[in-house]
Amino acid sequence: MRGALRVPALVAAATATAVLVLVVSLRFGGAVDGTVLPGIPSPGVFTVWALPVVRMLADVLGVLTAGLTVTAAFLLPGDGRSVAAHGWLLLRRATHLAVAWAAASTALIVLTVSDVLGMPVTGLSRQAILSFAVSINQGQALLLQAGLAVVVAALTRGGVSRGLAAATAALATLALLPPAFTGHAAGAGNHQVAVTGLALHILAASLWTGGLAGLLLVRRHRRFADTAARYSRLALACFAATAISGAVSAAVRLGGPAAIWESRYGSLVQLKVFALLIVGVAGAAHRRRSLPALRAGSPRGFLRLAAGELVVLGAALGLAVALSRSPAPVPQEPDGPDPLVDLLGFDMPAPLTAARLLGGPLPDMFFLTVVAVGLLAYLAGVRRMRRAGHGWPVGRTICWVAGMLLLAAITGLGLARYAYVLFSVHMVQHMVLSMAVPILLVGGAPVTLALRALRRPADPQVRGAREWLLLILHSRAVRVLSHPLVALGIYVVSLYGLYLGDLLGTLMRYHLGHLAMLVHFVGAGYLLFWVLIGVDPGRRRVHPAMLTVVHFLAMVAHAFFGFVLLQSATVIADGWYTAVHPPWAGSLLDDQRLGASLAWSFGEIPAVIVMLVMVRQWIRADEREQARLDRAADRAERAGLRSAASRD
């Protein structure tokens, strides 16, 4: 392959390969059956074939949109505050891809309605399509994806700012995820692992594939070798994430190791694993041979290997879409699916005991990933600091590790299982996530560690993780959020709004809503305690007296919330807790009052700890200020003595 690589033709070849693999896999996996049974409604041959093909085309367009925007924003060197010329061209190409992506997602709504109703597309009414799009989870996800794609298309033409390009890339990446929360995994048991595992799989595979396409489009950039090296690091992380999340998702869908060899679904999984291994070997060859050759001025080997890698990734994408349409060999209940399992993702737990609260784990892939990455990154930063001859307080490391382990425990042990069905246990989870975990994480000073441990890029026009972190810390948004009253308002309003504003039941019904709620608990608590007792840079410098007042107001708001909840005679999230209430538990109102008592009393110990830390910081601040004044007085006295001596 010569230097005149035709990337559009290569992308077309990869897409054609994906379509071919998709068609063959659909036939092999039993997802497409031309048999029409009497009395059973059929959507017609067009819908049967068009639905998976358009699904795959939408995925390809989404992957390319995300890959091109990520390459423009994060992989390519910039031009000051703006993206460079090659980045600008990538954003312009992403405009057309995003528009086509929105159109494909919209077409999927129509085809999905046809498939669900068993009616040809020509027989669908406008009312049926609109009702599906705005009322059914699957339709809402596709409509959201189409809307986000339109916004991405508009942002790609909104300017050349690198910050805007980064926001566009983040939004394009986010737009890949909505269908993951309403597909096969969302209806499977143990969707705490299945749904999040699928979302992580889609995210990693899309950045990997789309980033490679974006990389090939800028192959004539004068710093292409450096850009390829940065992509290689991204690809390695995506390879690991794709392999792990794919294995977890496959395990949930297969139901057991025997199904890998005894089912056609398992055979398709084997082919996908084989494709992953091929691309992994290609990546290793990149790092060992083609990247050094590229730096030496010989790009042919790298381009040839990358082109083959893109085609194999296209085949893997076709297999992935085929698997999403193929029947999985998960054993089915003889009497049909259990509505409670569909709602919770697991069977009704046994009567509550201390052993079951700590045992019977219910791992969530999202929090496991956060904890694993958080621990590894923090410890790697500490190791780098020590290798460089710099110390790092052991107490901070202990705080961070303890906070992460507590986060894993409170979201993955048996307590997480009972938090779904008992308000009192949910309240314990809320209090720990919003108070105990954030206090420990703030004590770890992760931002300070990151700023000291992260290395600056060799190219000053490249923004690495440290540069993006500094931009965020000095942004107007962080300045507003770090105001003590704003942080207090977010903490208090979210507390009262969730339980007194009838939001809890809605969020508990959806895995994504439940996940967002738990993340918000940690985020709101971290923001408040970062403002109150944090040592990281970026927060406002506020007099300790004002911080003490804010802390006191937070304590009062927390205690008053528990009192209001304790006196309430209305069951919060009545619809949800009635549907999942265990037969062995007491009444809903009694359990709610128990939760209110726990909320009212839980904040005492964390509040005292925070107050002690604040007093200690106040004393140290006074000591530093006094020392500064003493030094200034000494300098003034020495200057006065020298002036008097010169006059004499």
Side-chain angles (χ1 to χ4, degrees):
M1 183 177 296
R2 295 181 299 178
L5 180 70
R6 300 291 183 182
V7 177
L10 177 59
V11 171
T15 304
T17 302
V19 173
L20 178 62
V21 171
L22 172 66
V23 172
V24 174
S25 301
L26 288 173
R27 281 289 192 187
F28 177 78
V32 175
D33 187 356
T35 305
V36 178
L37 299 177
I40 303 298
S42 172
V45 177
F46 175 77
T47 297
V48 168
W49 284 105
L51 180 57
V53 171
V54 175
R55 173 74 272 172
M56 195 209 64
L57 291 177
D59 289 345
V60 169
L61 292 167
V63 165
L64 292 176
T65 303
L68 266 60
T69 53
V70 167
T71 302
F74 300 108
L75 299 182
L76 282 173
D79 184 9
R81 293 180 176 270
S82 304
V83 295
H86 282 80
W88 181 84
L89 290 174
L90 287 181
L91 291 176
R92 289 301 180 268
R93 293 189 179 188
T95 303
H96 305 292
L97 292 170
V99 171
W101 185 17
S105 297
T106 305
L108 278 175
I109 296 176
V110 179
L111 292 170
T112 305
V113 174
S114 173
D115 183 58
V116 170
L117 298 182
M119 183 182 299
V121 171
T122 55
L124 297 176
S125 66
R126 183 181 301 177
Q127 181 62 34
I129 297 173
L130 290 176
S131 177
F132 177 82
V134 300
S135 303
I136 305 301
N137 293 344
Q138 196 171 1
Q140 291 170 345
L142 292 172
L143 185 62
L144 176 61
Q145 186 176 66
L148 291 175
V150 171
V151 175
V152 169
L155 290 177
T156 56
R157 296 299 178 104
V160 294
S161 164
R162 296 173 76 177
L164 179 62
T168 304
L171 191 64
T173 304
L174 179 66
L176 295 166
L177 299 180
F181 293 95
T182 58
H184 274 351
N190 196 15
H191 55 241
Q192 288 78 12
V193 169
V195 174
T196 308
L198 179 60
L200 291 174
H201 188 73
I202 291 173
L203 183 63
S206 299
L207 291 178
W208 186 6
T209 308
L212 181 59
L215 181 68
L216 291 175
L217 284 171
V218 297
R219 66 196 180 281
R220 290 189 174 90
H221 192 279
R222 59 189 178 88
R223 295 175 181 170
F224 177 69
D226 296 332
T227 304
R230 285 189 290 275
Y231 167 76
S232 179
R233 292 190 289 271
L234 172 66
L236 180 60
C238 289
F239 172 78
T242 302
I244 295 172
S245 58
V248 171
S249 299
V252 173
R253 298 302 299 158
L254 287 168
I260 299 177
W261 316 103
E262 298 174 356
S263 66
R264 294 193 173 188
Y265 188 95
S267 299
L268 293 178
V269 171
Q270 292 181 55
L271 289 175
K272 193 177 176 186
V273 171
F274 182 65
L276 181 67
L277 292 176
I278 291 177
V279 182
V281 171
H286 275 309
R287 299 178 72 87
R288 286 188 177 184
R289 297 180 180 179
S290 63
L291 280 177
L294 185 61
R295 294 190 187 97
S298 178
R300 181 176 299 180
F302 178 88
L303 295 176
R304 181 178 298 152
L305 192 59
E309 189 178 354
L310 189 62
V311 172
V312 175
L313 286 171
L317 180 59
L319 285 169
V321 176
L323 284 169
S324 70
R325 296 288 299 169
S326 300
V330 177
Q332 299 295 325
E333 296 292 337
D335 298 329
D338 186 348
L340 189 64
V341 174
D342 289 343
L343 196 60
L344 296 173
F346 53 87
D347 293 322
M348 176 63 71
L352 181 64
T353 63
R356 290 180 180 135
L357 276 177
L358 299 177
L362 184 70
D364 188 288
M365 193 72 177
F366 175 80
F367 287 107
L368 287 178
T369 303
V370 169
V371 170
V373 173
L375 287 174
L376 291 175
Y378 193 95
L379 295 177
V382 173
R383 184 168 177 262
R384 180 176 291 182
M385 290 276 291
R386 290 180 177 174
R387 279 189 167 186
H390 304 296
W392 183 254
V394 177
R396 291 182 179 179
T397 304
I398 293 175
C399 282
W400 181 263
V401 172
M404 280 292 171
L405 293 179
L406 182 59
L407 175 63
I410 207 69
T411 58
L413 294 182
L415 185 143
R417 189 183 302 271
Y418 286 94
Y420 275 93
V421 299
L422 292 176
F423 181 86
S424 57
V425 182
H426 163 81
M427 188 57 67
V428 171
Q429 187 183 48
H430 181 174
M431 294 298 105
V432 173
L433 289 176
S434 63
M435 300 187 75
V437 169
I439 291 173
L440 290 170
L441 296 182
V442 167
V447 176
T448 301
L449 177 63
L451 292 176
R452 295 181 183 178
L454 288 173
R455 295 170 181 167
R456 298 175 183 270
D459 187 346
Q461 292 298 333
V462 173
R463 286 181 179 174
R466 187 177 186 276
E467 286 67 34
W468 284 109
L469 180 58
L470 284 171
L471 284 173
I472 293 172
L473 290 175
H474 294 117
S475 67
R476 184 175 300 176
V478 170
R479 182 164 179 80
V480 171
L481 291 174
S482 63
H483 192 287
L485 295 180
V486 174
L488 175 65
I490 293 173
Y491 185 85
V492 173
V493 170
S494 61
L495 181 67
Y496 284 80
L498 176 65
Y499 296 103
L500 305 183
D502 202 25
L503 287 176
L504 179 61
T506 302
L507 295 176
M508 293 290 283
R509 287 185 177 277
Y510 304 98
H511 178 68
L512 181 59
H514 184 260
L515 197 63
M517 177 176 63
L518 299 186
V519 171
H520 178 77
F521 290 161
V522 179
Y526 187 93
L527 177 62
L528 177 63
F529 294 114
W530 180 58
V531 170
L532 293 178
I533 60 173
V535 296
D536 286 327
R539 50 191 286 271
R540 285 174 177 259
R541 297 301 177 186
V542 182
H543 194 277
M546 182 178 179
L547 295 180
T548 303
V549 172
V550 170
H551 179 51
F552 176 75
L553 292 175
M555 292 172 56
V556 171
H558 191 276
F560 185 71
F561 165 76
F563 176 77
V564 169
L565 208 60
L566 191 61
Q567 299 299 317
S568 176
T570 303
V571 175
I572 296 173
D574 179 59
W576 168 261
Y577 284 111
T578 299
V580 301
H581 191 62
W584 44 262
S587 69
L588 292 176
L589 195 57
D590 288 342
D591 184 63
Q592 179 174 301
R593 287 173 176 164
L594 175 60
S597 301
L598 293 171
W600 181 76
S601 60
F602 185 88
E604 299 299 327
I605 296 178
V608 171
I609 293 174
V610 171
M611 182 61 71
L612 292 175
V613 173
M614 291 177 65
V615 169
R616 182 187 177 193
Q617 291 180 345
W618 194 345
I619 293 173
R620 288 188 173 183
D622 285 344
E623 291 175 349
R624 288 193 298 268
E625 179 64 18
Q626 186 60 49
R628 187 187 67 81
L629 293 176
D630 291 342
R631 288 193 300 269
D634 291 340
R635 287 194 299 269
E637 183 178 354
R638 287 194 297 268
L641 291 174
R642 284 195 298 267
S643 177
S646 63
R647 286 196 301 270
D648 293 342

